[in-house]
Amino acid sequence: MIIYKTKEETELIRQSSLLVNDTIAEVARHIKPGVSTLYLNDLAEAYIREHGAIPSFKNYHGFPFACCISVNDAVVHGFPTKDLLKQGDIVSLDVGVVKNGFHGDSAYTFALKDASAEVKDLLRITKESLYKGIEKAVAGNRVGDISFAIQEHTERLHGYGVVRELVGHGLGRDLHEDPQVPNYGKRGSGTKLQEGIVIAIEPMINLGKRNVYTEKDGWTIRTKDGKASAHYEHNVYVGKDKADILSSFQSIEQAEIANPSLESGFY
Ligand code: MG
Ligand code: MG
């Protein structure tokens, strides 16, 4: 069942989404070789709580951390660990917060200095595909139009693997609401989009094949072929003529450019 949002509710989601993005930006200032993803997780949790919010993911179906931090071949749902980041790694940060009763949920993948050209291409094209999907989040279209746009840009045009097992979703008072928003599908298929629908669009795209497995920790999803995977996520209000992006990468991209340990400028 889809829960349609009022303008007021949508603004509360926007506030939560922007806090998520500021949290990711804060963490981005600290990404460098030699720091652990557990350290980054703890920074994020402190920042979220200092801003009067609660990390959505903590204890969600038993997930034990504030953030999902997925390095290299980890696609999503990565457990923060004491392992240290090194040059050339990519690191996906997926953060959710709940504030004033509404969730925000956004993700961004960073490349540490000396990441390979093919991995930077993967990041750029995955981010591009997110915006191509968002363009379709307009009343009168269907979910499949978003799905098709993402799959077209990543799988058909660039030969990447589109993960099938995990999808985008509605969000609001619950972190995951209807409808599901797959990153693959047919144009003109699926749920009809109407004003008042708020969805998280989140391409999860593999450099190699689409196949994934779940690690022994029960959460971390990895590519079967061990190749890199990228993840970007925005929260979007379905508008009458144009999608309204409730989250923003602006503060994140500024932090990315300002951090000498991160690749930037390849988008
Ligand atoms: Mg997320
Ligand atoms: Mg999500």
Side-chain angles (χ1 to χ4, degrees):
M1 187 193 66
I2 292 172
I3 302 165
Y4 296 86
K5 309 301 185 303
T6 64
K7 286 283 178 199
E8 291 73 22
E9 289 169 333
T10 302
E11 288 314 307
L12 292 176
I13 297 172
R14 192 193 305 275
Q15 286 178 24
S16 295
S17 301
L18 293 176
L19 176 56
V20 169
N21 295 133
D22 287 343
T23 304
I24 296 174
E26 172 63 18
V27 173
R29 294 181 190 103
H30 296 88
I31 299 175
K32 60 181 180 186
V35 304
S36 72
T37 53
L38 192 57
Y39 172 75
L40 299 177
N41 172 79
D42 294 348
L43 280 178
E45 180 163 5
Y47 189 89
I48 291 165
R49 294 191 189 278
E50 276 164 24
H51 288 80
I54 295 168
S56 304
F57 301 168
K58 197 152 190 184
N59 302 319
Y60 183 84
H61 294 285
F63 188 81
F65 299 98
C67 312
C68 300
I69 305 185
S70 307
V71 178
N72 295 335
D73 63 317
V75 180
V76 286
H77 302 169
F79 267 23
T81 70
K82 289 181 179 167
D83 296 344
L84 305 181
L85 292 173
K86 53 189 191 310
Q87 270 192 312
D89 282 346
I90 60 167
V91 52
S92 299
L93 246 89
D94 191 355
V95 176
V97 308
V98 59
K99 189 173 182 178
N100 300 313
F102 287 89
H103 291 270
D105 177 16
S106 184
Y108 197 95
T109 304
F110 299 93
L112 277 81
K113 269 274 163 7
D114 293 342
S116 69
E118 65 171 1
V119 162
K120 287 190 282 187
D121 284 345
L122 171 72
L123 267 47
R124 176 173 53 82
I125 287 154
T126 303
K127 196 200 260 191
E128 285 171 3
S129 79
L130 169 59
Y131 289 102
K132 293 198 179 283
I134 289 170
E135 277 177 27
K136 304 294 180 188
V138 176
N141 282 348
R142 290 183 182 268
V143 166
D145 294 312
I146 298 171
S147 308
F148 178 86
I150 293 169
Q151 186 179 17
E152 173 80 359
H153 192 64
T154 54
E155 197 171 271
R156 275 185 279 267
L157 245 51
H158 291 97
Y160 296 141
V162 174
V163 175
R164 302 298 201 269
E165 290 83 349
L166 299 139
V167 296
H169 50 91
L171 85 164
R173 288 193 182 278
D174 284 316
L175 178 61
H176 294 124
E177 297 182 0
D178 288 335
Q180 292 199 341
V181 185
N183 298 305
Y184 60 94
K186 290 195 173 71
R187 267 186 287 207
S189 70
T191 302
K192 191 155 192 183
L193 297 170
Q194 297 182 55
E195 271 189 280
I197 294 181
V198 175
I199 46 176
I201 303 178
E202 48 178 318
M204 291 158 257
I205 308 298
N206 299 344
L207 182 60
K209 295 206 165 34
R210 72 187 201 203
N211 311 75
V212 297
Y213 70 97
T214 307
E215 221 187 80
K216 283 193 286 291
D217 62 23
W219 281 96
T220 308
I221 309 281
R222 292 188 188 277
T223 59
K224 268 196 182 154
D225 61 14
K227 292 189 178 176
S229 186
H231 181 211
Y232 294 85
E233 178 178 21
H234 266 316
N235 301 150
V236 177
Y237 175 87
V238 174
K240 188 158 167 267
D241 306 305
K242 192 174 184 291
D244 181 2
I245 307 177
L246 306 177
S247 41
S248 166
F249 288 160
Q250 200 182 352
S251 61
I252 298 172
E253 287 165 346
Q254 284 170 354
E256 184 179 47
I257 289 165
N259 182 339
S261 297
L262 292 176
E263 295 275 2
S264 63
F266 58 87
Y267 292 111

